Amino acid sequence: NAGVTQTPKFQVLKTGQSMTLQCAQDMNHEYMSWYRQDPGMGLRLIHYSVGAGITDQGEVPNGYNVSRSTTEDFPLRLLSAAPSQTSVYFCASRDRGGTEAFFGQGTRLTVV
Amino acid sequence: SQQGEEDPQALSIQEGENATMNCSYKTSINNLQWYRQNSGRGLVHLILIRSNEREKHSGRLRVTLDTSKKSSSLLITASRAADTASYFCATDKLTDSWGKLQFGAGTQVVVTP
């Protein structure tokens, strides 16, 4: 039981490049979310999903796309990377009913 | 805007002392949770308190919730160097789906031997 797995752990992109951050969970959780963490600002919600085929925007969705074709996977796509997207990205999953969230180890992204 | 705000932003104590941090939030909630983050790692769930509960304990942790004041506190008793971490409160708003857990900016705690 691996929990929530994020890849890659580190990534450097050039401005304008695109990439996909991967997130997979093996707990059969319905709810999955992407957050970004910047110094002094805590975690801000980018996108979330309440089940396969259903996604919605969070607090800071601009510049990011998501899809949820399976229960297990919730990839985050950066369409055209900008320096403002330099951050640490966390994926989380949780079961229904307001239970605890399980987090991946994070992806540290630098856009130059 | 963030739902939860922690206070203080940073806290420095010695081993054996108690650490108290507070969280205030803005709208009605289903529950409030506390998480710990060690440097460079993901968040780990510590404790959850539901809106109809006033106090909860888990080992050296004590959480209180005052829904009339929209605030919560986390007390860590007899702190250890291993408690050095950032602590975040998170809320499930009453009107949001379970996918929208919202976090505060965190309290950075340093416990010195």
Side-chain angles (χ1 to χ4, degrees), chain A residues 33 35 37 41 94 101 105, chain B residues 2 35 41 92 98 101:
Chain A
S33 310
Y35 294 87
Q37 184 177 32
M41 299 190 72
R94 64 192 306 209
Q105 290 301 299
Chain B
Q2 289 173 309
Y35 288 79
R41 307 298 297 273
D92 274 313
W98 300 123
L101 191 63

Side-chain angles (χ1 to χ4, degrees), chain B residues 71-109:
Chain B
S71 67
S72 173
S73 68
L74 172 67
L75 168 68
I76 306 173
T77 60
S79 297
R80 306 166 180 167
D83 295 326
T84 294
S86 292
Y87 293 81
F88 296 87
C89 68
T91 54
D92 274 313
K93 288 166 61 177
L94 195 63
T95 53
D96 281 348
S97 80
W98 300 123
K100 292 188 74 174
L101 191 63
Q102 295 195 338
F103 287 81
T107 293
Q108 192 168 12
V109 175

Side-chain angles (χ1 to χ4, degrees), chain A residues 44-90:
Chain A
R44 291 184 291 170
L45 184 64
I46 304 171
H47 285 286
Y48 67 101
S49 169
V50 299
I54 308 170
T55 64
D56 206 346
Q57 297 182 349
E59 185 184 354
V60 287
N62 292 341
Y64 308 94
N65 269 0
V66 292
S67 60
R68 183 107 178 263
S69 56
T70 67
T71 300
E72 294 77 21
D73 299 299
F74 191 43
L76 178 72
R77 280 181 285 278
L78 279 71
L79 308 172
S80 177
S84 61
Q85 294 178 305
T86 293
S87 188
V88 182
Y89 291 84
F90 289 98

Side-chain angles (χ1 to χ4, degrees), chain B residues 40-60:
Chain B
R41 307 298 297 273
L43 278 73
V44 175
H45 181 262
L46 293 176
I47 194 165
L48 179 153
I49 186 164
R50 300 204 181 275
S51 60
N52 60 353
E53 298 175 310
R54 291 298 168 258
E55 186 172 314
K56 208 162 183 181
H57 296 255
S58 177
R60 294 184 296 113

Side-chain angles (χ1 to χ4, degrees), chain B residues 6-86:
Chain B
E6 287 94 337
D7 170 62
Q9 290 185 331
L11 184 59
S12 185
I13 57 174
Q14 292 192 316
E15 267 191 330
E17 293 181 339
N18 295 342
T20 300
M21 59 210 84
N22 303 296
C23 170
S24 60
Y25 57 92
K26 298 173 184 174
T27 61
S28 296
I29 60 173
N30 282 304
N31 64 62
L32 186 143
Q33 305 179 34
W34 286 90
Y35 288 79
R36 183 187 71 222
Q37 184 183 35
N38 291 94
S39 181
R41 307 298 297 273
L43 278 73
V44 175
H45 181 262
L46 293 176
I47 194 165
L48 179 153
I49 186 164
R50 300 204 181 275
S51 60
N52 60 353
E53 298 175 310
R54 291 298 168 258
E55 186 172 314
K56 208 162 183 181
H57 296 255
S58 177
R60 294 184 296 113
L61 305 179
R62 173 179 170 255
V63 170
T64 63
L65 179 64
D66 187 335
T67 53
S68 67
K69 295 181 179 178
K70 291 187 171 57
S71 67
S72 173
S73 68
L74 172 67
L75 168 68
I76 306 173
T77 60
S79 297
R80 306 166 180 167
D83 295 326
T84 294
S86 292

